[in-house]
Amino acid sequence: MSSPIAFTWPLPGDEIARLAEVRAVRVREGGELLDEAGLAEFVGNAEAVVTLLADPMTDRVMAACPSLRVIANCAVGYDNIDLEAARRRGIWVTNTPDVLTEATADLAWALILAVTRRVVEGDAMVRQGGFHGWRPDLLLGTGLQGKTLGIVGYGRIGRAVARRAAGFGMEVAYSDSEERPEPGVSARRLSLEQLLAASHVLSIHCPLTPETHHILDVRNLRLLPDGAFVVNTARGPVIDEEALVAALESGRLAGVGLDVYEAEPDVHPGLLGRTNVVLLPHVGSATLETRSAMAGLAIENAVAVLDGREPPTPVVRGD
Ligand code: GLV
């Protein structure tokens, strides 16, 4: 029998069960996330591993798993994987783009609406018995009509967020290394500095790379207009959280919505007590439909490599 495909976590949906009917699988039961030593031990002699974005697939882990031929990340992002090490060792790396685009764009909008219309504050007020009847000035928020939505990173998810903006009457501008026209969306491409200066709401959609690490730092945060909102559903370290907290404390930012954190799963204590901050636990793609589709695509990638075929969504080509 072929070597089992290892899953570092039991993924939602029935894709693993369907695979198990035709191939050997080894599925971890969940529990704590794995560190490097735990990952190395769990993957062992497997030729294929389906990983989570929180699994640190470092050179050390790869060195300890000499049979490994494919790392099929069940995420669109792959900053948890040492790509250089995989390349050097001839290991394929794959990800799960496209299938999670719409769910993640929806969640970015959920955060935009939550922070601008103070949804979480309102919920807390009602539950705590603080709602004593309609008032003209109760929980005034900020309207979106006619304002500019700035998108940092105009890839698949950034463009899906832009497509939704017309429904809220927002102008769209973006910064990206490439001009990327999106059918049906009129969007201006600006430099990052111009984009920041123009954005009433800034939404982050770039991958985490050495170039994007802390692109929202003290200096760049100062370029946002007073009263701007910042939403991040990409990767935490794109924003310098210390600088973000300072911008909130100074009152210059009106609100922040985060699904991701610089030192995930830890959250900067300066964010926790603020009512104008909405915090989610990295759930951008968390619908049953999307997570099942991600599992299905990750499995397709792993199986393709084991069967000597081209995987559908490669990031690094192996031997
Ligand atoms: C989620 O953050 C992903 O990269 O899929």
Side-chain angles (χ1 to χ4, degrees):
M1 187 164 223
S2 55
S3 129
I5 299 182
F7 291 80
T8 66
W9 201 268
L11 302 172
D14 56 8
E15 297 290 340
I16 299 182
R18 289 201 337 207
L19 178 69
E21 288 169 11
V22 293
R23 272 194 121 97
V25 299
R26 184 149 55 77
V27 188
R28 230 184 120 238
E29 258 179 31
E32 296 294 308
L33 289 169
L34 292 170
D35 59 12
E36 283 181 273
L39 256 180
E41 192 187 331
F42 175 73
V43 177
N45 279 330
E47 290 181 52
V49 61
V50 176
T51 45
L52 307 182
L53 60 86
D55 291 331
M57 288 303 291
T58 59
D59 191 30
R60 268 196 297 274
V61 173
M62 293 179 215
C65 305
S67 307
L68 203 54
R69 293 170 56 204
V70 52
I71 300 166
N73 218 32
C74 194
V76 67
Y78 39 81
D79 45 281
N80 58 310
I81 302 173
D82 183 338
L83 300 184
E84 215 304 289
R87 213 169 272 128
R88 189 164 19 88
R89 295 174 180 281
I91 299 173
W92 287 82
V93 176
T94 63
N95 69 341
T96 58
D98 298 316
V99 291
L100 47 63
T101 299
E102 303 302 326
T104 309
D106 287 346
L107 195 89
W109 273 98
L111 280 174
I112 293 170
L113 292 168
V115 286
T116 56
R117 296 302 304 273
R118 306 174 66 180
V119 171
V120 177
E121 272 181 88
D123 180 88
M125 176 183 283
V126 174
R127 286 172 201 276
Q128 289 158 14
F131 178 40
H132 304 297
W134 192 87
R135 302 272 191 280
D137 56 351
L138 186 61
L139 283 183
L140 293 184
T142 301
L144 295 174
Q145 285 271 323
K147 306 273 172 66
T148 296
L149 172 65
I151 298 180
V152 179
Y154 207 52
R156 299 177 189 84
I157 299 171
R159 297 199 303 278
V161 168
R163 286 198 295 277
R164 287 152 173 76
F168 295 96
M170 293 193 84
E171 309 275 320
V172 178
Y174 70 93
S175 70
D176 196 286
S177 53
E178 284 173 43
E179 188 84 45
R180 296 179 198 256
E182 171 65 12
V185 177
S186 136
R188 287 177 295 153
R189 178 171 170 235
L190 303 174
S191 69
L192 179 65
E193 286 74 16
Q194 290 168 331
L195 182 79
L196 294 171
S199 296
H200 300 105
V201 177
L202 188 80
S203 194
I204 311 287
H205 298 288
C206 56
L208 174 62
T209 65
E211 291 74 41
T212 63
H213 183 264
H214 279 191
I215 48 171
L216 234 54
D217 58 6
V218 176
R219 184 183 146 269
N220 279 343
L221 280 166
R222 285 210 183 105
L223 299 177
L224 286 163
D226 279 354
F229 295 86
V230 173
V231 164
N232 188 6
T233 51
R235 284 292 182 271
V238 169
I239 302 182
D240 176 349
E241 247 169 42
E242 192 70 42
L244 188 72
V245 167
L248 279 160
E249 266 163 13
S250 72
R252 283 194 321 95
L253 285 182
V256 165
L258 300 176
D259 187 40
V260 289
Y261 303 90
E262 191 169 351
E264 212 165 298
D266 297 337
V267 179
H268 192 297
L271 294 167
L272 290 171
R274 308 197 72 87
T275 52
N276 56 348
V277 173
V278 175
L279 304 171
L280 293 178
H282 204 150
V283 287
S285 62
T287 66
L288 178 57
E289 296 86 344
T290 297
R291 289 282 163 85
S292 302
M294 290 164 69
L297 181 52
I299 288 171
E300 261 189 75
N301 278 313
V303 169
V305 171
L306 295 186
D307 289 354
R309 289 180 283 111
E310 172 88 12
T313 51
V315 173
V316 167
R317 305 184 64 80
D319 294 338

